[in-house]
Amino acid sequence: MERTQVAIIGAGPAGLLLGQLLLRQGIDAVILERHTAAHVLGRIRAGVLEPGTVELITRAGCDRRLRAEGLLHGGVNLCFGGERHRIDLVGLTGGKQVTVYGQTEVTRDLMDARAAAGAVTHYEAEEVSLHDFDGPRPFLRFVRDGAERTLHCEFIAGCDGFHGISRPSVPESAMETFERVYPFGWLGLLADVPPVNEELIYVNHEDGFALCSMRSPTRSRYYLQCPAEERVENWSDERFWDELRRRLDPEAASRLTTGPALEKSIAPLRSFVTEPLRFGRLFLAGDAAHIVPPTGAKGLNLAASDVHYLSEALIEHFCDGSSAGLEAYSSRALARIWKAERFSWWMTSMMHRFPEVGRFGRRIQRAELEYLVSSRAAATALAENYVGLPY
Ligand code: FAD
Ligand code: DHB
């Protein structure tokens, strides 16, 4: 039997960041993670951090490598009709930039800080179950190394992603969910080749969306829109590069450097929100509570803003004896979540090929893109959402 102040389920970015922010204020938190640390670090996911996320990682004391190795981007490019247009993030937002730094690196830095502080993370925690979170003394049960264990706590933070156990532990009648599933996925490829451009390019092409991103000056991350039921085995490296080249503008296509894939995977696209985010002493944060389609890079950043509100609320509770922040957590976080849901849905709708919209829908999409790159007001709306709305 073990005891802690906050039991965190999941050692993804949400759980690790929350653990670190609490630890810095002297609040004890134990993390239970289903997989090994190596498995968590092996998942290639997000790559673009809002300035608010960087600020939070700084507050957690884990920004040293991010500052040294992260790439600051002051603009982002939209390509349609075979032409590229730059959105000047710095000029349109009063000087804000995003930082390109992989989710795996954020996770590694947080794991290292946690290990250095001697904080407890139980990796390979199996059969985690949540108990009595509607009363004053919640606890978790789990199995580790074949032995059943119990973790008593004052609060539970459900940071265990979309397929975690926290959300399904809440009675269905206590929550409402909102969902939209898109009829396509993203096929991603990571390769040690120089990026095709210094800044990201989001491409709307007749045959589907493409995205040129990166992890470093020598490592590129590319994505292609593909059918939802597509299998990664059908995509040789050569087929991927040929299709990407075809979707780029001629200048970028001529500069594309190809190489063997380090990783290739398909992610489905979904919008999903649970309401509320609090059930007694259980709080949901990150992908456990909501999913956005990846267009616009909001998933990881939204997990970070949830953690901002939740960490402040828990610190207020433990350090000042006030429960006001805990009472307000769900509504404060949801107000920002829905704005990021709207932005991600809008970027997805504008940039992808939707078979069902027909010729009229395609012309509307084109008009929207042309308006966006010719109106300062419209471009500002994209820029201020892309760099992240205020907390
Ligand atoms: P997660 O990162 O999912 O972490 C949850 C953790 O909980 C995991 O380590 C999991 O193993 C653990 N866990 C789950 N169930 C249990 C359990 N029962 N017991 C114990 N532990 C458990 N966002 C972008 O912005 N851009 C992208 O390109 C992008 N690509 C993505 C690709 C994929 C395939 C996926 C799934 C997501 C992608 N995202 C992307 C979204 C982004 O990665 C997530 O929003 C982010 O990881 C959310 O962090 P989190 O900590 O809330 O959840
Ligand atoms: C990346 C992913 C995104 O969803 C996005 O909008 C931008 C970049 C990436 O993985 O680098």
Side-chain angles (χ1 to χ4, degrees), residues 44-48 76 100-103 186 190 200 202 209 211-215 220-223 293-299 347 386:
I44 309 298
R45 291 185 174 178
V48 177
V76 66
V100 172
Y101 190 68
Q103 176 168 335
W186 278 18
L190 185 74
L200 271 62
Y202 290 83
F209 171 79
L211 170 59
C212 306
S213 183
M214 66 196 73
R215 291 292 176 269
S220 301
R221 179 70 165 161
Y222 295 109
Y223 297 96
T295 336
K298 289 290 156 242
M347 278 281 280
Y386 196 83

Side-chain angles (χ1 to χ4, degrees), residues 183-244:
F184 42 75
W186 278 18
L187 170 63
L189 179 146
L190 185 74
D192 273 337
V193 293
V196 68
N197 192 48
E198 301 98 62
E199 291 175 345
L200 271 62
I201 312 176
Y202 290 83
V203 186
N204 176 315
H205 185 274
E206 273 288 294
D207 297 329
F209 171 79
L211 170 59
C212 306
S213 183
M214 66 196 73
R215 291 292 176 269
S216 75
T218 56
R219 181 168 285 190
S220 301
R221 179 70 165 161
Y222 295 109
Y223 297 96
L224 291 174
Q225 177 183 350
C226 65
E229 64 283 358
E230 185 61 278
R231 293 164 58 86
V232 75
E233 298 75 39
N234 293 338
W235 287 81
S236 64
D237 292 357
E238 197 184 1
R239 182 178 173 203
F240 185 98
W241 292 119
D242 287 347
E243 186 57 27
L244 177 63

Side-chain angles (χ1 to χ4, degrees), residues 264-280:
K264 237 184 302 175
S265 55
I266 294 180
L269 266 68
R270 181 194 302 271
S271 297
F272 176 90
V273 183
T274 308
E275 292 185 1
L277 304 180
R278 178 190 182 173
F279 308 90

Side-chain angles (χ1 to χ4, degrees), residues 74 82 133 159 204-205 230 246 248 255 261 264 282 287 309 319 337 360-361 380 383:
F133 54 81
C159 301
N204 176 315
H205 185 274
E230 185 61 278
R246 238 168 44 71
L248 297 179
R255 282 195 291 112
K264 237 184 302 175
L282 165 65
D287 277 16
Y309 296 122
C319 301
I337 287 163
F360 178 81
T380 303

